[in-house]
Amino acid sequence: MTSRTPRRTRTPSVALLAALPALAVATGGCGLLGTDKKADTGEAGQGKVTITLAGPNQWNTSGSSFGPAWEALVDAFEKREPGIEVRTQVLPLDGFTQTITSQLAAGTAPELVFNQPPHKAHEVHALDEELQKPNPYVPGNQRWIDVFRKEYFGPDVSKALSKESGKLEYIPFNLVAIGLFYNKDAFTKAGIQQAPATWEDFRAACAKLKAAGYDPVALDKGALAAGWTWESITTQLTDKYYDQWNYFDVTGKPGKAPSVTEKSLSKAIKEGTLTAAKTPEVAESLKLYKEFFDNGTPNWSGVADGGATVGYRDFVTGKAAMSWGTDFAVEALKTDAKFAIGTMPFPTITKATTPVSTDAPARYGASVGGTSYMVPSTVKGEKYAATIKFLQFMSSPAIKPWLDATGGLPAIEGVEPSSETAGLLEGEWGKIYRVHGLPGGPEGSPFREVFDGFLLGKRSLQEELPDLQKWWDRGVEAGIKKNNWGDEDWAR
């Protein structure tokens, strides 16, 4: 069952391929396999240890460089460690997964590889022991693991662990998060003093933006807005069911999980505790869902997918004032948009909007599904030592200029996010929701196929509800089969 919806299953952006296994890369792909300018200089200088980092370009369309900010960061490391040279190998977006998976299996991977491609645990170094040692680039640090924001990365964070070994096998350079970008100039022109915090604020802002000549929200035919909006609404309105639906822990055993899991939702649907027709929050969610889309680009179903920023062209040209996006979109936005940008959480739906609300705050949470790298198990000796040093440097305050330039969200303590992306971690929005977003259809089914007819006004609410239940029932049965839950009493 595709409960986690589009953030995890559909997108051309790399960051969203991770935990999404997601959150996102700037628009566009990169070119041919390439390396940065250092690769053209021949062998490393005498006495130097050369290590190579290989992964996709998440920030621009270059096929040879991650960008000036990255190169400046590497230069800073090399000045700190003159005996080490770091080379960057840019892998094509449409082939990096196969390349890295094949190299790891063959034992030919370079010293650092992007962590998202499928691999076996024995093909990479587990870093748990290294993380218990001090990070020399963080003054006063006693254990490297302590520099990370513990809610996102560490031995107690299930999504940070290898599913096969239960170990920590990569280091996150940043976090990935979603939220709404907005045009500060458009807000000022429309007389909006501050970003809307509640749904009522959002309604009022949309009316002012329309009066000022803007489409309030940029939308396109991609799956991102459909999934993120549905999740952001349903996680709020169903928060009241946290205890009632929380049947299983994160391992799938009876117990409680910090966030109600897909398995728990499947049980609720299977047993009829959660139904599209009788659970009032479902119909209310659909109404607000359509209202959001009705405030978007009028012909959104015919607008090309904008990548990591929904309705990218309409947003950067100033036609629309708000847009869904991820922190990985910032570098492109700062280049293409001719106005100051800000970020904000999705609005909180309060009792002032609907009586089924409990005033539960809008939450989504960040993830380590951004830029993360691991060390192949074939890396030994001085190259391994040099690689660990680079990873330690990348989890120190020295990365702040790079994060600011790219809009990256810090995975470590003591580093503040850039002004453009601070809103993606603001308040409760930066915390993970308590109830998993309500599902769309079975895994692999296009999420928009479930809702487009309703969002476009071609199907009524009364028609959508039973149709949605059919999607859920199919998704639950598919999930039971895929996850081998069939022997459990609830699944029979």
Side-chain angles (χ1 to χ4, degrees):
M1 180 172 63
T2 314
S3 303
R4 189 68 181 130
T5 62
R7 182 165 80 154
R8 298 288 186 248
T9 57
R10 67 327 149 225
T11 174
S13 79
V14 173
L16 298 184
L17 294 175
L20 296 192
L23 319 91
V25 189
T27 54
C30 60
L32 299 175
L33 178 76
T35 52
D36 69 8
K37 59 187 178 183
K38 295 178 183 177
D40 299 324
T41 62
E43 294 299 318
Q46 186 174 2
K48 285 192 175 184
V49 177
T50 300
I51 60 175
T52 298
L53 177 146
N57 188 347
Q58 298 172 281
W59 301 278
N60 55 64
T61 58
S62 173
S64 61
S65 172
F66 289 167
W70 172 262
E71 293 172 6
L73 183 63
V74 171
D75 287 343
F77 172 74
E78 292 177 341
K79 288 178 181 178
R80 181 76 179 265
E81 299 290 346
I84 303 174
E85 180 180 15
V86 180
R87 296 181 176 180
T88 304
Q89 186 177 36
V90 179
L91 301 179
L93 285 178
D94 60 357
F96 79 90
T97 295
Q98 181 177 350
T99 296
I100 293 174
T101 296
S102 298
Q103 288 179 337
L104 287 172
T108 59
E111 288 74 27
L112 283 163
V113 293
F114 198 63
N115 77 310
Q116 294 178 18
H119 59 277
K120 300 294 185 181
H122 72 269
E123 295 171 350
V124 298
H125 284 284
L127 300 175
D128 298 64
E129 291 186 13
E130 295 289 354
L131 286 161
Q132 294 302 313
K133 303 173 184 177
N135 182 332
Y137 305 104
V138 180
N141 176 255
Q142 299 299 311
R143 297 193 312 161
W144 182 9
I145 189 66
D146 293 335
V147 309
F148 296 97
R149 303 180 67 168
K150 61 181 181 296
E151 66 267 43
Y152 301 118
F153 183 76
D156 298 323
V157 182
S158 60
K159 68 172 59 177
L161 305 177
S162 165
K163 291 184 179 180
E164 181 181 348
S165 68
K167 302 288 186 179
L168 295 167
E169 58 183 26
Y170 63 84
I171 297 299
F173 294 176
N174 54 30
L175 301 175
V176 61
I178 68 167
L180 291 169
F181 284 82
Y182 66 93
N183 178 337
K184 290 185 176 181
D185 294 350
F187 272 35
T188 299
K189 182 179 177 181
I192 302 170
Q193 303 299 319
Q194 58 186 14
T198 69
W199 195 267
E200 293 307 299
D201 294 338
F202 174 75
R203 280 177 173 167
C206 288
K208 290 180 179 180
L209 288 165
K210 288 178 180 178
Y214 296 96
D215 292 335
V217 183
L219 295 173
D220 59 37
K221 66 179 181 180
L224 291 176
W228 288 340
T229 306
W230 179 245
E231 284 186 315
S232 298
I233 292 172
T234 60
T235 55
Q236 293 184 63
L237 295 187
T238 61
D239 181 83
K240 66 186 72 172
Y241 298 109
Y242 175 75
D243 291 316
Q244 183 180 350
W245 295 347
N246 205 348
Y247 305 110
F248 303 105
D249 64 20
V250 294
T251 69
K253 297 178 181 178
K256 299 288 186 182
S259 177
V260 172
T261 65
E262 178 183 341
K263 184 177 181 181
S264 287
L265 278 183
S266 296
K267 175 178 166 67
I269 293 170
K270 180 74 173 178
E271 294 182 337
T273 305
L274 164 60
T275 71
K278 296 181 180 180
T279 305
E281 291 76 16
V282 180
E284 196 66 21
S285 292
L286 284 167
K287 293 175 186 177
L288 295 175
Y289 191 31
K290 189 173 188 309
E291 181 181 346
F292 184 89
F293 272 74
D294 286 347
N295 278 294
T297 305
N299 62 334
W300 58 266
S301 64
V303 177
D305 190 336
T309 308
V310 176
Y312 187 82
R313 182 175 296 280
D314 280 353
F315 183 64
V316 297
T317 58
K319 186 175 185 296
M322 291 179 280
S323 174
W324 274 113
T326 76
D327 47 310
F328 282 82
V330 167
E331 187 167 338
L333 288 175
K334 288 197 294 187
T335 299
D336 295 341
K338 307 306 178 186
F339 49 81
I341 61 173
T343 48
M344 65 183 188
F346 190 82
T348 291
I349 302 164
T350 67
K351 292 177 182 177
T353 296
T354 170
V356 304
S357 167
T358 57
D359 290 334
R363 291 178 177 146
Y364 205 88
S367 167
V368 288
T371 307
S372 301
Y373 278 81
M374 53 192 180
V375 185
S377 56
T378 51
V379 180
K380 307 289 185 182
E382 61 182 8
K383 284 186 176 287
Y384 176 78
T387 298
I388 293 299
K389 284 187 175 182
F390 184 71
L391 291 176
Q392 290 171 328
F393 183 79
M394 291 301 296
S395 45
S396 77
I399 65 169
K400 172 68 171 169
W402 174 65
L403 292 175
D404 285 346
T406 61
L409 296 168
I412 62 174
E413 300 283 1
V415 174
E416 295 298 319
S418 68
S419 59
E420 292 91 353
T421 54
L424 302 182
L425 290 180
E426 183 179 305
E428 294 293 321
W429 181 250
K431 300 177 183 178
I432 192 67
Y433 43 70
R434 300 201 312 157
V435 176
H436 212 297
L438 294 183
E443 183 175 355
S445 60
F447 187 77
R448 283 189 44 200
E449 187 176 336
V450 180
F451 296 107
D452 268 14
F454 173 70
L455 295 176
L456 291 168
K458 297 177 180 179
R459 194 161 59 241
S460 68
L461 178 64
Q462 290 69 34
E463 293 171 316
E464 180 69 16
L465 287 169
D467 195 49
L468 181 58
Q469 185 67 50
K470 293 176 182 178
W471 282 105
W472 286 2
D473 292 341
R474 287 171 52 196
V476 168
E477 294 306 319
I480 289 172
K481 182 177 181 180
K482 176 185 175 182
N483 295 293
N484 298 314
W485 298 331
D487 291 336
E488 299 185 31
D489 290 340
W490 68 270
R492 292 171 182 161

